[in-house]
Amino acid sequence: MKAVAPPVTVSEAQAAEVSSQVKALAQLLTAKDASKNHYQSIFGEIYRRYGVSSYKMIRREQYEAVIAFLEEWRTSAGVG
């Protein structure tokens, strides 16, 4: 039986960049609507779309898509 290598995950710097972008987006959304936890909503959507329980678990090939997703969310929210 052939062993399957675990997926290659993002670097510490890339995980920190995703975390930073999520935090910035959550702060912008909270400034517009403080009635809910936007940080939790954003991470929940990343978890649902990319199947990760931590920013550090994002696969390297998903990194650009995650960043683009966060940028699209910021644009669609009209903040930035």
Side-chain angles (χ1 to χ4, degrees), residues 39-67:
Y39 181 88
Q40 186 175 16
S41 299
I42 296 164
F43 182 76
E45 190 61 20
I46 290 173
Y47 175 81
R48 186 183 71 74
R49 286 180 181 227
Y50 302 101
V52 296
S53 58
S54 163
Y55 301 133
K56 293 179 182 182
M57 297 303 293
I58 294 169
R59 292 190 311 273
R60 207 168 274 165
E61 67 268 15
Q62 294 176 313
Y63 176 73
E64 293 298 327
V66 171
I67 295 297

Side-chain angles (χ1 to χ4, degrees), residues 65-78:
V66 171
I67 295 297
F69 162 69
L70 293 170
E71 185 59 35
E72 287 172 24
W73 194 336
R74 183 173 24 258
T75 301
S76 71

Side-chain angles (χ1 to χ4, degrees), residues 9-19 55-56 60 63:
T9 56
V10 294
S11 68
E12 289 285 329
Q14 288 172 315
E17 178 62 24
V18 171
S19 177
Y55 301 133
K56 293 179 182 182
R60 207 168 274 165
Y63 176 73

